[in-house]
Amino acid sequence: MNSKFPRRDFLKLMALAPAALAARPLVSALEKARAADAPHILVFVFDAWTAHNLQLHGYPRRTMPNLERFAERCFVYHNHYSTGSFTVPGTASLLTGLYPWTHRAVQLTAGGVAPAHRDHNIFAALAGSHSALGYSQNPYADIFLYQFEKYLDTYLAEGQFNLERRSLSSLPIFKNDAQIAFASFENNIIRNGKGTSGSLFWGMISRLAGLANYAAIRKAHLKQYPTGVPIASGVFLLDDLVDGMTNAIREFDSPTLAYFHVFPPHEPYAPKKEYASLFDDGWVPLEKPTHPLSRARHPWEEILYNRLRYDQYLAAWDAEFARLLDNTLETSGLLDNSIVILTSDHGELFERGEIGHNTFVLSSPVVRVPLLISLPGQSQRTDVHAFTSSVDLLPTIASLVGAPPPAWTEGRLLPGLGGEADPNRAVYSIDAKTASAFSAISQFSISITKQNHRLIHYQYPYYSGFEFYNMEDDPEEMNDLYPSEPALAKQMKDELLQKIEEFNRPYQKK
Amino acid sequence: MFKTIPDFFKRRLPARNETLLVLSLAAFLVFSWSLRTLFYQAPAFILSYNLWEILSIAAYMLAFALLETLLATLFTVVLAVILPAVLFRDGFACKASFALLAAAAISIHLQFVMTNQPKTNFLLLELGRGFALWLVPVLLTRYVGFLRKIVLDVLDRLTIFSYLYLPLGIISLLVVIVRLLW
């Protein structure tokens, strides 16, 4: 037998190579065409949006009346927990369906998820059926969109809807090296926030120029925003943000998965004039003792003031976002052909000496976030009280559009949307901002929630301990049951310690 | 009057050896501060990035430091060109060096103490301090000969750093360019 591969056959085979190269996008296009009647999926992530400040979840102030109206046609998840207490781990979990100890984006400086999970994301999971659009106004969430960019058909830059562009790393010249450019410029060379800049002269000039620019913009919009203009990486107006998203949605010409990660209601809390005097109601929230892990130890009056501003900002954002819901989605009929999801990457804390989410304290408001899902044409509200996690979103979305939930996700189908409520299901949240992405996580705040109870474990060199709360009888987490050593606390503690041992095992030195 | 533009610059530009001394000081200040930040941030980098990524971040920082060094030096040269010679060009090495030192001191001070809503008075006070920080040593070196000699000797010895920093900056710039074109 002649074992030689004839030159002529080889050339014929080579002639097929371009066709083979074209096949993948062709197959993808065919799949998308086949799914032409698939619904759009609109994921709106409001940064630092806690469930605790919504009347929908029992808050006395009616901070978001328009959202409540929209909730009447949604699945409303009352006990939904983010996996992390700040943007990086929370967003990574939303986009990957993985817990922070798996995706490893646990620090503020994280340059994205671990290389092993770069193809494990929501855009990849739906690549066959949906075009993908990604937008994040928060640069720390935008870093993941850079990372998953090959799965995005449309990428909107984080400063797209801002009045000014302040991040050097988002310049087109750095497109090929966006992650390292971001880590270099925004985190080091030119810091506009806390800490010193790596640039001796330009860092300060840039900061002064930015402040002067902000002062000018603030002055120009003082009537509209009496307490200050909203600012993310650059200054923006709530109206522009909604208009920008509206225009992007109007461009959809095929079933699209759109991820909009917007900055409101993240601090600085900047309500518009008509909302800046709301809630002068004399209501005073329950004062909680300062937590041993609170570094800021803000006075109670300051906490109250910031909570009020946050509530006012929620109201302002609610009114603005309602324009998109009512004028764009409702009137155009898009709601009848779209799955609309509203949620957050993490919550916000106004208690125990803390304001915001830059904290080690893992009390419920910093991780319990809203989750509303409206299916195409849905007209009834369904309340779900089971404990759910942000890692559940990805498999649920995949399932809703008929795709199999990816094998790599650590989430489950949400109850009511293909999944079943399971009181024994454990939901975790973790803050490990001082941990390494490459080794075992030894310092953390972590919580496990199940059977209406929540166990929090703090493990730091200077403070460690457990807290245990009955979330049904004590949703404010005032009465720590751990000292009385109930059986369930011991059981949950064992389960939590086993989970920690399990996720640290691959990193233990042999 | 000057007949041509090159002639204008030739007459107004500070002496080359003095400019090189200023360039060396600028490199020393800018690169040292950049490296200080790099090492300060290193514990955080180690948590999130592998060695190659950390080296890439270092390349960005040092490439930026090179550009900043050149710009800072250029700025002093432009001042020498446009200001009356007696104010800046005569004794350029000392005057420009003290200007850079004063600007660096004020910048570092502001980085630690400035809030996000600085008052105009506060900034004016800092500007005044910066001017005083420049003027006092300029006058001292103008009228006290041995001080001027010491300063020039120190500047001369600082050039050793530029043999390390400037090539480091050039290599870093090349690394960044390669990464951007990749």
Side-chain angles (χ1 to χ4, degrees), chain A residues 393-503:
Chain A
L393 202 57
L394 189 150
T396 305
I397 291 173
S399 166
L400 285 174
V401 297
W408 37 262
T409 179
E410 293 175 312
R412 294 182 181 186
L413 297 184
L414 287 163
L417 295 173
E420 295 293 328
D422 176 5
N424 282 320
R425 190 257 172 117
V427 165
Y428 299 95
S429 301
I430 185 169
D431 172 25
K433 58 172 80 74
T434 58
S436 166
F438 310 108
S439 56
I441 298 173
S442 56
Q443 295 181 31
F444 48 73
S445 310
I446 191 168
S447 73
I448 174 173
T449 310
K450 63 187 284 190
Q451 294 185 24
N452 284 328
H453 285 74
R454 188 157 181 263
L455 180 82
I456 310 174
H457 178 24
Y458 296 105
Q459 180 67 56
Y460 297 98
Y462 44 90
Y463 179 80
S464 64
F466 289 87
E467 295 171 12
F468 186 64
Y469 300 102
N470 183 329
M471 301 305 286
E472 196 167 21
D473 300 342
D474 179 27
E476 294 287 340
E477 298 178 326
M478 289 296 287
N479 185 19
D480 181 9
L481 302 171
Y482 191 77
S484 61
E485 297 180 345
L488 183 60
K490 188 180 179 313
Q491 184 196 323
M492 285 172 67
K493 178 184 173 185
D494 291 344
E495 188 173 343
L496 183 63
L497 294 178
Q498 191 184 336
K499 172 59 78 178
I500 295 166
E501 201 273 329
E502 192 181 297
F503 67 65

Side-chain angles (χ1 to χ4, degrees), chain A residues 26-299:
Chain A
L26 195 64
V27 168
S28 173
L30 284 172
E31 281 176 348
K32 283 177 186 172
R34 215 171 29 238
D37 56 346
H40 298 298
I41 303 161
L42 306 175
V43 182
F44 296 98
V45 176
F46 302 166
D47 210 300
W49 187 30
T50 177
H52 283 249
N53 288 40
L54 292 183
Q55 202 171 57
L56 198 61
H57 300 300
Y59 194 57
R61 286 174 176 158
R62 198 159 182 232
T63 50
M64 302 189 85
N66 294 296
L67 185 96
E68 281 174 28
R69 186 163 43 81
F70 180 68
E72 292 306 314
R73 56 190 305 169
C74 291
F75 285 82
V76 179
Y77 292 85
H78 290 273
N79 290 300
H80 186 67
Y81 283 81
S82 172
T83 62
S85 59
F86 63 103
T87 292
V88 174
T91 305
S93 287
L94 268 175
L95 291 174
T96 63
L98 298 168
Y99 274 107
W101 51 74
T102 306
H103 63 59
R104 308 301 290 187
V106 291
Q107 322 79 8
L108 190 63
T109 53
V113 300
H117 299 295
R118 279 183 182 160
D119 294 322
H120 297 164
N121 61 76
I122 193 169
F123 308 110
L126 271 65
S129 60
H130 284 71
S131 300
L133 177 149
Y135 167 69
S136 171
Q137 201 176 19
N138 184 335
Y140 291 100
D142 197 35
I143 207 72
F144 298 109
L145 299 183
Y146 285 140
Q147 206 176 17
F148 306 144
E149 198 178 4
K150 70 174 176 179
Y151 297 104
L152 292 177
D153 299 281
T154 308
Y155 165 76
L156 302 176
E158 47 105 6
Q160 186 96 5
F161 308 134
N162 293 355
L163 289 177
E164 49 160 12
R165 283 187 168 196
R166 282 173 67 180
S167 61
L168 268 177
S169 60
S170 64
L171 292 173
I173 189 176
F174 298 114
K175 195 171 181 295
N176 289 345
D177 201 19
Q179 267 179 276
I180 296 297
F182 176 78
S184 307
F185 286 112
E186 264 54 73
N187 271 343
N188 294 294
I189 297 173
I190 299 167
R191 289 171 75 105
N192 288 311
K194 290 174 183 170
T196 54
S197 293
S199 158
L200 182 57
F201 299 119
W202 188 251
M204 185 44 61
I205 292 168
S206 165
R207 191 171 164 204
L208 285 170
L211 291 174
N213 190 34
Y214 176 73
I217 293 174
R218 184 179 175 176
K219 195 175 171 188
H221 295 90
L222 197 61
K223 280 188 177 170
Q224 202 183 1
Y225 292 92
T227 65
V229 187
I231 181 165
S233 64
V235 183
F236 67 97
L237 304 178
L238 298 180
D239 324 44
D240 292 349
L241 180 57
V242 167
D243 291 345
M245 290 193 291
T246 301
N247 292 336
I249 291 169
R250 285 187 178 141
E251 300 277 311
F252 292 174
D253 54 5
S254 63
T256 301
L257 161 65
Y259 177 85
F260 293 105
H261 189 131
V262 297
F263 214 61
H266 192 291
E267 61 89 23
Y269 315 127
K272 290 172 94 170
K273 188 187 175 188
E274 50 271 47
Y275 304 94
S277 54
L278 278 184
F279 309 125
D280 185 15
D281 47 15
W283 173 72
V284 179
L286 195 59
E287 187 172 355
K288 300 178 185 179
T290 299
H291 196 279
L293 271 174
S294 168
R295 290 174 298 177
R297 297 185 171 263
H298 292 285

Side-chain angles (χ1 to χ4, degrees), chain B residues 19-121:
Chain B
T19 309
L20 287 176
L21 289 180
V22 175
L23 176 72
S24 297
L25 178 76
F28 173 72
L29 292 173
V30 171
F31 276 81
S32 299
W33 183 255
S34 196
L35 287 171
R36 174 256 174 210
T37 309
L38 187 65
F39 288 121
Y40 185 79
Q41 297 281 0
F45 291 155
I46 290 166
L47 297 180
S48 320
Y49 300 102
N50 61 36
L51 183 62
W52 176 241
E53 288 169 331
I54 293 172
L55 288 175
S56 302
I57 293 171
Y60 268 91
M61 294 184 78
L62 296 178
F64 193 88
L66 175 70
L67 299 178
E68 193 173 12
T69 298
L70 295 175
L71 281 175
T73 310
L74 184 67
F75 179 71
T76 59
V77 170
V78 169
L79 280 183
V81 169
I82 61 174
L83 290 176
V86 69
L87 274 184
F88 216 73
R89 201 192 65 183
D90 298 345
F92 177 73
C94 282
K95 287 174 181 169
S97 297
F98 288 132
L100 288 177
L101 281 167
I106 294 302
S107 175
I108 291 170
H109 182 237
L110 282 178
Q111 291 202 34
F112 283 106
V113 302
M114 193 174 80
T115 64
N116 271 341
Q117 290 173 319
K119 299 262 190 304
T120 310
N121 286 348

